[in-house]
Amino acid sequence: MRKAVAIPLSLMGLGLAGLGYASVVERNSFRLRRFDVPVLERGQRPVRILHLSDLHLTPGRRMLINWVRSLGSLEPDLVVNTGDSIAHVDAVPSLLHALEPLLSRPGLFVYGSNDLYAPKPKNPARYLWRTSKNDRRQHVPSLPWRELGEGMAAEGWLDMNNTTARIKVGDLDVAVAGIHDSHIDRDRYDLVAGPAPRDADLRLGVMHSPEPRNLSRFAADGYQLLLAGHTHGGQLCIPFYGALVTNCGIDRARVKGLNRHSSAWLHVSAGLGTSPYAPVRFACFPEASLLTLVPRR
């Protein structure tokens, strides 16, 4: 008969303390990260983009709702929401309430898989050896994604799922291309493919999951700044090492923050939320980002 392995009480206490920290403290310690992105021509005035992603909002998350509302004081020139905004069938009113101070600003959005399909209980440790791409078993959306999109669009935000647009941002004429979520094979890059308009002051690509195949096509078509979310920054990270996984095709070094992809700048948001069934973050604070676009040197 195999003997039970005794776990020292000190280790159990340490584990419980770590879990409490990750689920209560860090998960609710929202941060605003700031980056300067040198993409403008000389002489152009800087503009500021507020990048939100992965709220995974449920109606009871009052601290998150109030923190997002506080971002209205930043008065950004453009707000970009890269998806996975909701995680509950009744979350749309709460999300629109959270975004209310920002909805009067120019805005863009795309969907993530969790805007369509409700989260389900599962073992979060499986991400250590594979992505969640093939986990989705639902074929009919179970979340009110149309209501979600209509609520943002009614305030003037542009639905950028598999489409292109031109938008005025500060003094800039911005050409935008966006795609739906590649994690559930709803991305249709062919619908936006082709050289980005060269007469635009800025060429912006927007997506949920930063899959390298799409990043490379955006860059090859001349888009200068690419915005994505999805990764949660790894969500459970090791101090001084970083993310263990990215849950998509991008490498760990670019799981969050501002980096390069070929000729383009890439910003991946670590996001503000978590799945209700994995409500923890460790060494990866929830975040929104304020990107200040400045002239190239």
Side-chain angles (χ1 to χ4, degrees):
M1 180 179 296
R2 182 179 298 176
K3 294 183 178 180
V5 177
I7 301 175
L9 291 178
S10 58
L11 288 180
M12 292 181 61
L14 186 62
L16 290 173
L19 181 61
Y21 166 81
S23 61
V24 177
V25 178
E26 186 165 323
R27 179 174 175 249
N28 293 300
S29 297
F30 310 111
R31 305 291 175 89
L32 179 68
R33 303 184 75 194
R34 298 174 185 263
F35 299 93
D36 288 346
V37 190
V39 293
L40 303 183
E41 298 293 338
R42 289 185 179 181
Q44 291 179 325
R45 295 175 59 185
V47 299
R48 299 187 305 162
I49 298 176
L50 178 63
H51 184 188
L52 305 175
S53 198
D54 297 271
L55 277 74
H56 292 274
L57 192 65
T58 55
R61 293 212 62 194
R62 300 304 311 173
M63 293 178 66
L64 175 55
I65 291 168
N66 291 334
W67 191 83
V68 173
R69 287 183 62 85
S70 76
L71 297 175
S73 64
L74 297 172
E75 297 186 343
D77 298 291
L78 176 68
V79 184
V80 178
N81 177 2
T82 51
D84 275 6
S85 297
I86 57 175
H88 190 279
V89 69
D90 296 324
V92 171
S94 297
L95 179 76
L96 296 178
H97 177 66
L99 294 177
E100 181 185 12
L102 296 164
L103 289 172
S104 61
R105 319 298 298 184
L108 312 168
F109 67 91
V110 293
Y111 295 126
S113 62
N114 288 284
D115 293 320
L116 282 73
Y117 302 108
K120 292 185 175 182
K122 58 188 71 173
N123 176 14
R126 74 197 186 288
Y127 292 140
L128 296 177
W129 59 84
R130 62 181 175 86
T131 78
S132 62
K133 181 173 176 59
N134 296 317
D135 287 351
R136 192 67 59 184
R137 294 294 181 265
Q138 303 176 68
H139 299 289
V140 178
S142 53
L143 290 178
W145 63 274
R146 287 191 178 90
E147 181 184 353
L148 169 65
E150 289 168 356
M152 291 185 285
E155 300 297 330
W157 284 19
L158 299 183
D159 180 341
M160 295 307 306
N161 290 284
N162 297 327
T163 192
T164 61
R166 296 287 280 262
I167 185 172
K168 189 73 171 178
V169 179
D171 295 332
L172 302 183
D173 172 27
V174 180
V176 187
I179 54 173
H180 207 309
D181 189 7
S182 59
H183 209 60
I184 50 173
D185 299 319
R186 289 186 175 238
D187 55 319
R188 301 291 182 269
Y189 192 89
D190 287 346
L191 296 179
V192 304
R198 302 302 299 182
D199 61 338
D201 297 316
L202 173 70
R203 298 176 294 279
L204 177 65
V206 182
M207 71 212 82
H208 178 65
S209 181
E211 288 295 344
R213 60 181 172 82
N214 285 324
L215 297 175
S216 295
R217 295 189 73 179
F218 274 115
D221 280 343
Y223 290 92
Q224 300 159 284
L225 175 60
L226 312 178
L227 303 183
H230 175 70
T231 65
H232 294 196
Q235 190 165 330
L236 299 176
C237 299
I238 297 177
F240 309 110
Y241 178 80
L244 297 173
V245 294
T246 68
N247 198 26
C248 64
I250 202 169
D251 52 287
R252 290 191 307 104
R254 296 184 296 163
V255 72
K256 66 178 179 179
L258 185 68
N259 292 281
R260 299 287 289 185
H261 188 89
S262 184
S263 60
W265 286 99
L266 167 66
H267 180 261
V268 179
S269 173
L272 283 164
T274 64
S275 166
Y277 297 108
V280 293
R281 278 182 177 259
F282 190 80
C284 186
F285 287 95
E287 68 179 40
S289 296
L290 188 67
L291 311 177
T292 301
L293 310 189
V294 298
R296 294 185 291 270
R297 295 179 180 177

